[in-house]
Amino acid sequence: SSSPTPRWAHDVFLSFKGESNYFTDDLYSGLKQKGISTFRVDEKLKQGAINTSELLKAIEESRVAIVILSKDYASSKWCLIELAKIVEFMEKMGLVVLPVFHYVDPNDVRHQRGTFANAFAKHEEHLQDNIGNVQTWKAALTKIGDLARWDLKEKHDSIVIHEILIKIFSELNREFPSVCEELVGIDSCAKEVLGLYLGEGWGDVRFVGICRMGGMGKTTLAKEIYKRIFGNFEASSFIANVKEKTKNQGLVFLQKQLLSTILVESEIDIWNFYEGINVIGTILHNKKVLIVLDDVDGNEQLKALAGRHDWFGLGSRIIVTSRDSHLLRRCGVNDIYTIKGLNKDDALQLFSWRAFKKPRPEENFMDLFKKFMRYAKGLPLALKVLGSSLFDKKINEWENVLQKLKAKPNENILDILQISYNGLTDMQQKLFLDIACFFKGESNDRIRDILKGFGYYPNYNIGVLMEKSLITVDDDRNLWMHDLLQKMGQEIVLCESPEKPGGRSRL
């Protein structure tokens, strides 16, 4: 079954005494900049605009509580009410509680000494009829004092804030892992990229490319990597659909989007492409940032958004997804990860999630299941599209879909695969169609003279098709392409003259 809708209204509940202090303000800004939903109420609001039930409901609907224990924390009845409820939900509901000792001795908190003893003496004097509440508050402070904690007397504020953000990201990801079917086959790839190219061991700036044909899961992999590590950076930005946005809205729009996501509370006006380059390089050159540029297909896009390594502070990571490996190399990407097709087990699981909403197919569908698997050949896009189309269908409907696919490939799959083909020159398109119709599996060396006779300049143009992830050349120098790319090429030829084969450019 699909995952239930989360009941959380907030990622973090922030409990602190006072209208504000520098640490609380900086922590709140850091949480906001990272996109972490945070419930924060200062002392004035507690005394007026918000009632007890609203406050306690906010704690109940939060996934993490950060308690900033300052010297005067226990003097506030509101803070102690919050704390008692936080401890209650920690014990009953698994609320994650992160205490911060704001220049106070943890033992004073645990045993209610010093300013905490003075505060409770006043509470006991004024709340003689509700002494049970006072004892509950004391017990809550004792339990909070026993938790793993941050002590601001031992570490600089900025270090503590950074560690808290990393801890929160870890907790949020553990609480709500990504949807199962979307991560099939991706987890191992993410670990491989992180281990090989993105480790903290490299203190320099690194550009990493993720490359392969359309539908292989480049965007899904980039999203998963981003989700796992963006908490380790001062600022981060994921720019999706770079190619499409460049065409529809322009590069200046993308430059503004990049800066607005990194500088959350600032607005920067950019009037032209070159001004944007200067602003990005000036503002980010001392920041450790994580930037993902998804679906890049042109030099100008990288020049506008991530032109050089020295635009960014040490430790920065720039991830670029593209179908064009040559583009990545000539733009100075340090390493390129070529994403692989799914193995049989992962392909079966992904297809089953889409077709049955569970990781294994029903037994009476298994024979048909295997035929669809052979058709998709490990391409995640095909597995998702076909699996979704077969959800809740009977066996005879599965058989009908399979027969239709033999006659005509699925248009949703072809439309995505054809994007790379559309970006080729006329000569490269013709070469691709000839390989799809005649030369798949043939020796590149054996047919070179034939291709030269067609005027294709094969040494160059075959290289371009490889860089565009449209064909491969194996160790024996044979030309290959994914079966669905071959079907796409044959379908393009067929559509030249659907009714009269003699009107097609290739028979």
Side-chain angles (χ1 to χ4, degrees), residues 486-504:
Q486 182 181 30
K487 289 181 182 295
M488 177 195 76
Q490 293 172 349
E491 186 68 15
I492 289 170
V493 173
L494 186 147
C495 289
E496 293 171 351
S497 179
E499 303 300 327
K500 297 180 180 180
R504 302 169 194 165

Side-chain angles (χ1 to χ4, degrees), residues 11-22:
D11 293 326
V12 171
F13 181 93
L14 197 56
S15 177
F16 63 99
K17 167 67 173 74
E19 295 177 19
S20 67
N21 60 56
Y22 288 123

